[in-house]
Amino acid sequence: MKPADVCLAVTVAVIWGLAFVASRIALDEFSPPLMTALRFCVAALPCLLVPRPRVSWSVLIAISFTLFLGQFLAQAYGIAHGVPVGLSSVIVKSQALFTIAFAAILFRELPTPLQGVGIGIAVVGLLMICGTVGYDFSVGAFAAIAISPICFAIGNVLLRRAGGAPMFDLFAWLCLIAAIPLLALALVLDGPQATWHALRHMSLTGLACILIVGGISTSIAYWLWGRLLRDYPAAQVVPFALLVPFVGSAASSIVFDERFGPLRLAGMITVVGGIAVMLLAKQRQAASKPVRPEVT
């Protein structure tokens, strides 16, 4: 990779890691459904300029409701109810495990022996993390955020049905489709008065966080990531995503003074290690083939 593109890949990973921190700060002002809705309202603004991709509405809705609405709403609920930001970034990245599992079930794409080793390592790490649940956040909060990587993985699998649609156009319209029901959900769960009050009294910090997670993390960063996957083999690009949990954990320890006990920290490192084995094994097979952008 060119040095400039290496810097770009690292920048995207840093943006995604910091987005977890920005989401946590935004959740001090907004409810999970409202914060997630605002995120996608910002990310959907390019729909004013780009045409709807030639993908059926049923496919667009299915992808949007899993890859975006389900993933980020579950993530917001988990973080809002006490799951540490650093731990959240690790759990969400475990989507690689579920993506391989769903691909094996639906497409008979059986994991290689090395991928199997990675899956086993990641599962051990997740079990170690499960052993720490109930001390500083509830089982319900952990269950909520555990939905995020599952939705993420289902969305990854469904994304194949989008064919060769331009990624920037596709993601913009997926965000629009997610924003509409999320706004309705916020109005129902929070009430019109509370929703309007939150919007009317939005602070500059809250606005900045929404712009970061919506405009920079969701829209621009995914577009840049897609460009990198278009220009280089996935084996060179995807491993940079492993930086996200480390950035998220480091940033949360600085901003929120988060500390992890030995078992949880060991579990987080084990999960990331397992994901690394899975990704590197998967990408080794595709290193010589051009790959269409895939959400990571």
Side-chain angles (χ1 to χ4, degrees):
M1 292 177 66
K2 297 177 182 178
D5 289 331
V6 171
C7 292
L8 193 62
V10 172
T11 299
V12 171
V14 170
I15 289 172
W16 283 340
L18 295 178
F20 282 92
V21 174
S23 296
R24 172 64 185 82
I25 295 173
L27 286 166
D28 288 336
E29 293 191 29
F30 310 108
S31 68
L34 181 57
M35 192 277 285
T36 312
L38 293 175
R39 173 184 198 141
F40 290 125
C41 284
V42 172
L45 290 177
C47 288
L48 299 172
L49 303 174
V50 300
R52 180 175 71 87
R54 295 184 178 180
V55 179
S56 68
W57 280 107
S58 60
V59 171
L60 287 175
I61 292 172
I63 297 173
S64 179
F65 278 28
T66 52
L67 188 63
F68 281 163
L69 189 154
Q71 179 203 164
F72 288 103
L73 182 60
Q75 178 182 311
Y77 266 110
I79 294 175
H81 288 83
V83 180
V85 171
L87 179 58
S88 300
S89 64
V90 174
I91 293 174
V92 172
K93 294 309 296 181
S94 71
Q95 61 84 17
L97 189 160
F98 296 102
T99 299
I100 291 175
F102 291 142
I105 295 171
L106 298 175
F107 304 115
R108 299 295 188 266
E109 296 178 359
L110 298 179
T112 65
L114 189 55
Q115 284 179 321
V117 171
I119 291 172
I121 294 172
V123 169
V124 170
L126 288 174
L127 291 176
M128 294 168 68
I129 292 172
C130 288
T132 69
V133 172
Y135 293 97
D136 52 349
F137 60 91
S138 67
V139 175
F142 181 77
I145 202 164
I147 296 173
S148 182
I150 296 174
C151 289
F152 200 160
I154 294 173
N156 270 341
V157 174
L158 291 174
L159 194 60
R160 299 185 181 192
R161 299 185 62 185
M167 286 295 105
F168 186 80
D169 300 8
L170 177 64
F171 285 147
W173 280 85
L174 292 176
C175 290
L176 177 63
I177 293 171
I180 296 171
L182 281 167
L183 283 172
L185 184 64
L187 289 171
V188 171
L189 295 181
D190 303 338
Q193 185 174 355
T195 300
W196 173 244
H197 182 272
L199 294 174
R200 185 179 178 184
H201 294 86
M202 181 189 306
S203 69
L204 289 178
T205 299
L207 176 61
C209 288
I210 293 299
L211 293 177
I212 289 171
V213 298
I216 299 177
S217 175
T218 306
S219 184
I220 296 175
Y222 274 120
W223 171 60
L224 292 175
W225 190 255
R227 283 187 56 198
L228 290 171
L229 284 173
R230 180 197 64 191
D231 296 337
Y232 297 97
Q236 292 181 286
V237 179
V238 171
F240 284 97
L242 295 173
L243 295 173
V244 175
F246 292 104
V247 173
S249 298
S252 66
S253 67
I254 295 172
V255 177
F256 306 117
D257 196 29
E258 287 184 358
R259 296 292 182 267
F260 304 105
L263 180 59
R264 183 176 296 173
L265 182 60
M268 291 167 64
I269 295 174
T270 302
V271 169
V272 174
I275 293 171
V277 173
M278 285 187 287
L279 289 179
L280 294 176
K282 177 182 177 182
Q283 304 312 326
R284 183 181 298 174
Q285 295 176 310
S288 61
K289 298 187 295 183
V291 179
R292 62 182 296 277
E294 177 180 335
V295 177
T296 304

